[in-house]
Amino acid sequence: MTVQPSLTEPDPASAAEAGAPPDRLMRHRGFVLFWIARVLSSLGYQIAAVAIGWHVYAKTGSAYDLGLIGLAQFVPMVLLTFVVGHVADRFDRRRIVMLCQVIEAATLAVVTLGVIEDWLTVPAIFAAVAVLGAARSFEHPTFSALLPALLPVDLLSRALAISSSAMQTATIIGPSVGGLLYALGAGLPLGLAAFCLAAASVATALIKVERAAPSREPITFHSVFSGVLFIRSRPLILGTISLDLFAVLLGGITALLPIFARDILDTGPWGLGLLRSAPAVGAIAMSVVLMRLSMQSRVGLKMFAAVITFGLATIVFSLSSNLVLSLVALAIMGAADNVSVVIRNSLVLLSTPDEMRGRVNAVNSLFIGTSNQLGEFESGMVAGLIGAVPAGVIGGVGTVLVALIWMKLFPAVRRAETLTG
C-alpha cells in the first residue's frame, strides 16, 4: 500500500531532464555543502537527545525529569521566535547557522567532559539543554531561509525533498547509534554528537551564497512582529501553516507508541523501535519519489490529499492489532507527511520575499514545534481518559475533518496550482 500516485506528477517543463535533476542538484557545490551540514547537524542532535535522555533517567529514575528535558528545549523556542526571525532577516544567515552549530558543539563538548568526569549535575544538564534549544531555535528557521538563496526556483522542491530525506535518515540512524554507543559509556555518543556539530559548522562555513545578504532593517516593534502580520495578510501562507498545526496537533500519536507496542501489539522494546522508525522509512521512500518527480500542478489539492491520507492511516494504525499492518500504516503516515511538508515548505518559502523569510520561517517553526509538543500532550491526556485506541481514532478523524474544513476556509490553498501559489 502506498500514497496515491496522483500526489506527484512529472513536470512537463523539465521532461527532457527526467532522471537528471537529482544529479544536477548534487553537482551544485552550495547545495551539497548545505546537505552535508544538515545531515551532520541532525545526526548530532538525534544522538545527543538519546544519550542525554538515557543519562538523566539513569541518574534520577524520574519520568518527570525526562519531561523537563523537552520543556527546557521548548521554552527557548517560544521565547526567542520573534527575535530569531528578525536576526535571520537582518544578518548573514550562513554565519548565524555556523555560529549556532559552534555553540551546540561547544555545549556538547562540555557536557561530554562533565559526564566522563562525573561532575555534571542534572540541573546543569537542563541548563545545557536549554542552551542547545536556544541555539537550535536560531539554527533551524535560518537554515531553511538560507536554501532559496543557493538554488534556482525550479530545483527548490527537489532540494527540499532531499533535505527532508536527510532529516528522516538522521531520525532513524541517530537514535540507534546513540543507543549502541551508550552501552560503551555516555561520553562516547555525546562526544560523537559534538564532533558532528563541529563538522557541520565547517561545512556551513564553506557554503558560498551568491545572492546579496539581507538588508539591515532597523529594529522596531513592527519589524520584529512583521512575520506574524505578513502571514495574517497572506491566506495562502496562513492556511498552509495552520493546516499543519491542527493536523499534527490532532493526529500525532508518537507519545502513544509505547502503549500500542506493549499493550496492543504485544511486543517488547524491539517492537517499539520498529514503530518509531516506520514513519521515517516511509518518509525516506517518498523523498526518493519526490527527487525524481515534480509537483508543479494542483499542489494545494495534493497537500490536502496528503493530510487526509495521513489521517486515514492514523485511524488504520489505531485499530490494528497486527504488527505488520501497524508498520505499514505508520510508513504511509510518514510518506504522506513528507508530501505535505515539501509542499508546505515550498509554498511558504516561494511565496515569501527573501527579506521576510527569516521572520516567516521563525513563526512557521514555532507552529511546528507547538503542534508536535502539544500534540503529544493532547494524545496522552485523551488516551488517559478514554484509552489509546479511541484517542488514536479520534485524532485521525479530527485530522481528516480539519483538512476538509480548511479546504472550505482557505480556498487560496485549495486553488494553489504551483509551488509559488
Side-chain angles (χ1 to χ4, degrees):
M1 184 175 182
T2 59
V3 179
Q4 297 178 4
S6 62
L7 289 175
T8 56
E9 298 176 354
D11 180 5
S14 60
E17 296 185 29
D23 296 332
R24 180 183 165 196
L25 263 178
M26 299 314 291
R27 288 197 301 267
H28 193 288
R29 183 174 182 272
F31 176 71
V32 171
L33 289 170
F34 175 94
W35 185 85
I36 291 173
R38 191 143 214 181
V39 169
L40 289 171
S41 177
S42 300
L43 191 63
Y45 175 77
Q46 293 292 339
I47 293 173
V50 170
I52 289 174
W54 284 8
H55 184 70
V56 169
Y57 192 69
K59 289 180 73 71
T60 68
S62 171
Y64 176 72
D65 285 333
L66 291 179
L68 289 179
I69 294 176
L71 183 64
Q73 296 176 77
F74 180 67
V75 169
M77 181 184 68
V78 174
L79 296 178
L80 295 172
T81 293
F82 300 109
V83 176
V84 167
H86 194 84
V87 168
D89 287 332
R90 184 176 170 85
F91 299 101
D92 187 326
R93 291 167 182 159
R94 180 184 60 87
R95 291 183 180 179
I96 294 171
V97 173
M98 180 182 64
L99 178 60
C100 290
Q101 292 166 342
V102 168
I103 292 173
E104 292 164 26
T107 302
L108 286 173
V110 173
V111 171
T112 301
L113 182 63
V115 167
I116 291 175
E117 297 184 353
D118 198 27
W119 51 258
L120 194 68
T121 64
V122 172
I125 293 176
F126 291 152
V129 169
V131 172
L132 292 173
R136 285 189 67 81
S137 71
F138 277 88
E139 178 191 357
H140 190 268
T142 307
F143 223 162
S144 297
L146 176 63
L147 183 58
L150 303 178
L151 295 168
V153 172
D154 65 305
L155 292 180
L156 186 58
S157 65
R158 291 186 177 94
L160 286 169
I162 294 175
S163 179
S164 176
S165 72
M167 302 285 284
Q168 297 296 342
T169 301
T171 301
I172 296 174
I173 297 176
S176 301
V177 171
L180 289 173
L181 293 181
Y182 193 90
L184 303 176
L188 189 57
L190 288 170
L192 177 60
F195 173 80
C196 287
L197 267 303
S201 70
V202 173
T204 302
L206 295 175
I207 296 174
K208 292 184 178 180
V209 181
E210 298 177 359
R211 301 180 193 178
S215 60
R216 298 196 172 189
E217 179 183 351
I219 299 177
T220 64
F221 180 86
H222 179 271
S223 67
V224 170
F225 290 94
S226 57
V228 175
L229 298 175
F230 180 86
I231 290 172
R232 285 187 59 189
S233 68
R234 302 297 193 280
L236 176 65
I237 299 178
L238 176 61
T240 301
I241 294 177
S242 59
L243 172 64
D244 180 79
L245 169 65
F246 287 101
V248 175
L249 184 63
L250 293 172
I253 58 171
T254 302
L256 305 182
L257 291 182
I259 300 175
F260 280 95
R262 188 188 68 179
D263 300 338
I264 297 173
L265 300 174
D266 195 26
T267 67
W270 63 271
L272 176 59
L274 290 177
L275 294 178
R276 290 191 66 92
S277 297
V281 171
I284 290 175
M286 181 53 69
S287 293
V288 173
V289 174
L290 297 180
M291 289 176 202
R292 291 287 174 180
L293 301 178
S294 178
M295 291 179 289
Q296 290 296 334
S297 65
R298 297 179 294 173
V299 296
L301 289 176
K302 289 170 183 174
M303 183 171 66
F304 281 117
V307 174
I308 290 173
T309 300
F310 180 90
L312 294 175
T314 301
I315 296 172
V316 172
F317 171 79
S318 302
L319 296 175
S320 171
S321 58
N322 179 275
L323 179 60
V324 174
L325 178 59
S326 297
L327 291 173
V328 171
L330 287 171
I332 292 174
M333 289 169 61
D337 182 58
N338 198 42
V339 173
S340 175
V341 166
V342 169
I343 295 177
R344 183 191 74 239
N345 286 344
S346 298
L347 285 173
V348 172
L349 284 172
L350 296 179
S351 300
T352 304
D354 185 66
E355 65 271 13
M356 287 291 299
R357 281 183 178 139
R359 279 163 284 187
V360 171
N361 269 289
V363 177
N364 187 26
S365 294
L366 176 62
F367 273 48
I368 294 171
T370 299
S371 62
N372 287 331
Q373 299 286 340
L374 295 184
E376 293 186 7
F377 176 75
E378 177 270 338
S379 296
M381 294 300 100
V382 175
L385 292 173
I386 62 176
V389 172
V393 172
I394 290 174
V397 171
T399 299
V400 174
L401 291 177
V402 164
L404 296 176
I405 292 171
W406 256 238
M407 290 179 71
K408 180 69 174 177
L409 292 178
F410 296 94
V413 179
R414 186 182 72 246
R415 296 169 186 162
E417 282 292 320
T418 68
L419 293 176
T420 58

